[in-house]
Every structure is written in structure tokens, then in C-alpha cells.
Amino acid sequence: MTYEQMLEAVRYEGAYPDPERAAESVQRVLAALGRRLTGQERVDLAACLPVEAARALVSQVPEFDELTGWGFVKDLATRTGVSPAVARWDTGAVLSVVARLAGPDLLARILRSLPGGYALLFGQAELLASHAS
């Protein structure tokens, strides 16, 4: 997928009026994800993305505080000056496309490497382990 095709997919997912708005969301959300994702998952995801998107991901230095999915959205909202609702919308639009580019195996590894709450951001069901009594 080219970067332009990725922007068009994000524009469609987010119902954005133009590719420029989609590009803003891609850059912001992937930069935020780049602050959370480390190790081989980060490298493998960057390899799945168009070069321009991969740059946004890997240009960030990972932070090691553990943010839940909701914490990720709140942090994105604070850093970008948008409401949490807009940050959640942007995150869903971008990460649903990223999930398709990553494929199910890499996505499962990414989700295992992150704290709880990220699956929904990627448009996936959050499966919780049940504990037998």
C-alpha cells in the first residue's frame, strides 16, 4: 500500500473531508504509538507501513510508562490539543488501517506487548483471560 492509499483508507474510515486531515491523524496517532511500542514489534510494524507512516512511528523515542488504551487516547488528546473524543476517533480511524496492514499475527504480537485496552483501538475485540475458581 502506498502512503496515498493509506491516507485514502484512513480518510474513508474517519470520514475526513480531505486527505490532509487524514494525514494529520496518521502522523499524530503513529507518533503516539511510536512512544508506546518497542522491540521487534516496532521494527516489524514499521516494515509493514508506507515509508512516510513508518517515519512517524519510529521517529519517537519510546516512553516506558504503561498507558492503558484509554490512557493512550488521553495522552494523545493532551499532546495535540484536541478533545478526548476527537483523539479516540482519530485513533480508531488510523489504527484500524494499521491493523489491516500489520495482519493478524503481527497485530496479536503488538497487542500482547501493550497494556490492556488497545485491542478496541485497533478495531479488535478485547479478549480477557477467564480465571477458573
Side-chain angles (χ1 to χ4, degrees):
M1 177 180 284
T2 68
Y3 187 61
E4 290 73 24
Q5 290 169 326
M6 181 183 188
L7 293 182
E8 185 56 29
V10 170
R11 189 192 68 73
Y12 178 80
E13 289 290 331
Y16 299 125
D18 52 54
E20 292 76 23
R21 178 64 178 86
E24 290 173 14
S25 293
V26 166
Q27 294 298 312
R28 290 175 178 177
V29 172
L30 288 179
L33 185 60
R35 289 188 291 274
R36 301 287 139 222
L37 200 56
T38 61
Q40 194 61 45
E41 289 75 24
R42 178 183 172 108
V43 172
D44 292 347
L45 181 57
C48 294
L49 299 174
V51 172
E52 300 88 341
R55 272 192 215 116
L57 178 79
V58 300
S59 67
Q60 300 299 308
V61 175
E63 297 175 2
F64 293 99
D65 53 330
E66 295 238 342
L67 291 181
T68 63
W70 179 237
F72 176 89
V73 170
K74 290 191 303 186
D75 182 62
L76 179 62
T78 299
R79 288 177 187 257
T80 59
V82 300
S83 71
V86 169
R88 173 61 182 94
W89 183 269
D90 291 347
T91 299
V94 173
L95 294 185
S96 65
V97 173
V98 168
R100 291 195 302 267
L101 289 171
D105 294 338
L106 176 55
L107 182 58
R109 287 180 26 226
I110 289 169
L111 292 174
R112 280 193 301 271
S113 75
L114 294 168
Y118 282 83
L120 293 174
L121 300 178
F122 282 92
Q124 307 295 304
E126 184 93 34
L127 301 176
L128 303 175
S130 61
H131 298 284
S133 301

